[in-house]
Amino acid sequence: MLNLLQELCACSGVSSFEDEVRACIRAHAQPYADEIRVDALGNLIVKKRGKKATGDKLVLCAHMDEVGLIVRHITDEGYLKFSAVGGIDRRVLIGKPVKVGEKGLPGVIGLKAYHLVSAEEEKVVPKLDDYYIDIGARSKAEAQALVSLGDCAVFESDWVEFGQGMVKVKALDDRAGCAVLLKLLEEELPMDCTFVFTAQEEVGTRGAFGAAFSVKPEIALVLETTTAADLPGMEGHQKVCVPGAGAVIPFMDKGSIADRGLFELLRSLAEEHQIPWQTKHWISGGNDAAAFQRAREGVRTATVSLAVRYLHAPASVAAKRDLDAILHLTRLFIGAIAARA
């Protein structure tokens, strides 16, 4: 699964620009799909028949898109001013390499030279409007020949395995969930399953909301990532979760409360099969579960997440062993739902 995850993370897929990553996922899914389509919002919806004919009862969901930047202005000097697509911590931007537009034009994020920063400015995080992307252009005309307003910029980060089973790369959120779903698609399933690779999650779970109406599931399991924050100086209750401590089964986040029956099912499966698991010690974040839960007359939802450090940053960190735990737990969850169907 690591080779697959590495391939997915290398793809560009800023919200509403998911074409490249969607094509990659579709190529991997096609040989195992009984039905595959792309809806109006760009969601990739894959159906696979299982031993039990249960139709759209169960949806397994992960989002394809990643946070990034969008070009909104080109200065007279040829620099690109941008806005954020999704939630990005401005503190981590300076000096980071990016790729701009469909051709992946190389660029680097810049900011006012440090020797010009006043004592007062040192005390505050720069505003997004203070940053720019340097593409090496010498004038506005030269930049306009290479970049258009509305082009996206994606972070550039190499795949690195390091430490005790850790990996560093961009877009773990949520290519990790996509990789798990693709591995499950390769298997014989105990029931019909609909796999939804959603678009535009990072800008308000927009893709999932549309998918919840077109697919009409009874149950939705969302495979996601969640911020870890297990960093120096953090109290235990502030750490949220810990990479390497197993699959994260949250009972609540800022967008949804897990269906109690499904939460208990996931927890009991993990304990019965000795799958390492943890829950969140800080109520934070949100994901596609909120959109599914609130659609139509309501959908029973639960989430299984990967603990990730430096979420929404140019490079994130996770533990490889947690991916195996999530895959195993999700496989057991499908079996348990099939037994009750």
Side-chain angles (χ1 to χ4, degrees), residues 207-222:
F209 188 74
F213 278 86
S214 67
V215 179
K216 300 181 176 64
E218 296 177 26
I219 296 170
L221 180 67
V222 175

Side-chain angles (χ1 to χ4, degrees), residues 1 3 22 31 38 54 60 115 120 122 170 208 210 228 263 276 298 313 338:
M1 182 160 54
N3 289 337
R22 181 172 51 243
V38 177
T54 52
L60 302 163
H115 72 278
E120 288 301 313
E122 280 190 327
K170 68 131 180 122
F263 173 80

Side-chain angles (χ1 to χ4, degrees), residues 10-254:
C11 294
S12 296
V14 175
S15 304
S16 83
F17 294 89
E18 297 95 351
D19 304 68
E20 182 180 334
V21 67
R22 181 172 51 243
C24 180
I25 292 171
R26 183 168 192 154
H28 282 280
Q30 190 80 57
Y32 308 100
D34 290 300
E35 181 182 330
I36 190 166
R37 64 184 174 91
V38 177
D39 68 12
L41 279 171
N43 299 310
L44 180 66
I45 300 173
V46 183
K47 296 187 178 184
K48 180 169 182 174
R49 288 190 289 271
K51 293 180 181 179
K52 278 190 176 181
T54 52
D56 289 332
K57 180 181 180 70
L58 176 62
V59 153
L60 302 163
C61 172
H63 71 86
M64 299 180 289
D65 61 315
E66 62 189 295
V67 298
L69 313 170
I70 192 164
V71 179
R72 61 173 178 78
H73 178 70
I74 300 175
T75 72
D76 291 339
E77 300 82 6
Y79 296 106
L80 313 181
K81 304 296 285 187
F82 58 84
S83 294
V85 180
I88 296 176
D89 186 346
R90 303 191 306 275
R91 298 174 303 169
V92 303
L93 290 178
I94 185 170
K96 299 302 188 296
V98 294
K99 295 185 294 184
V100 183
E102 292 183 2
K103 296 181 180 179
L105 185 72
V108 63
I109 299 173
L111 188 64
K112 181 197 289 188
Y114 183 68
H115 72 278
L116 299 177
V117 175
S118 68
E120 288 301 313
E121 287 175 320
E122 280 190 327
K123 299 176 183 178
V124 298
V125 178
K127 297 177 181 178
L128 202 61
D129 192 49
D130 296 330
Y131 293 91
Y132 55 85
I133 297 174
D134 183 349
I135 58 170
R138 293 168 293 182
S139 67
K140 185 172 187 176
E142 192 171 309
Q144 287 176 325
L146 300 168
V147 178
S148 298
L149 300 186
D151 282 352
C152 77
V154 63
F155 295 124
E156 190 170 9
S157 175
D158 294 333
W159 172 278
V160 177
E161 296 181 39
F162 69 108
Q164 299 299 310
M166 308 299 285
V167 61
K168 182 275 296 182
V169 71
K170 68 131 180 122
L172 282 171
D173 179 18
D174 181 34
R175 307 293 162 72
C178 294
V180 172
L181 292 192
L182 286 173
K183 294 304 293 183
L184 289 167
L185 259 170
E186 297 175 5
E187 303 177 4
E188 282 193 29
L189 299 174
M191 63 183 292
D192 294 347
C193 289
T194 302
F195 297 80
V196 178
F197 301 88
T198 57
Q200 299 193 43
E201 188 271 351
E202 297 292 5
V203 289
T205 64
R206 298 173 189 179
F209 188 74
F213 278 86
S214 67
V215 179
K216 300 181 176 64
E218 296 177 26
I219 296 170
L221 180 67
V222 175
L223 301 188
E224 250 287 12
T225 61
T226 188
T227 185
D230 61 320
L231 304 172
M234 295 292 102
E235 299 292 336
H237 69 284
Q238 296 175 314
K239 292 186 178 181
V240 187
C241 52
V242 179
V248 181
I249 309 174
F251 49 82
M252 179 181 178
D253 59 35
K254 289 190 175 181

Side-chain angles (χ1 to χ4, degrees), residues 243-277:
V248 181
I249 309 174
F251 49 82
M252 179 181 178
D253 59 35
K254 289 190 175 181
S256 65
I257 300 175
D259 177 271
R260 294 304 302 180
L262 298 180
F263 173 80
E264 293 297 340
L265 174 59
L266 286 164
R267 179 163 66 173
S268 64
L269 287 170
E271 292 177 350
E272 179 184 350
H273 295 273
Q274 299 183 319
I275 300 171
W277 76 280

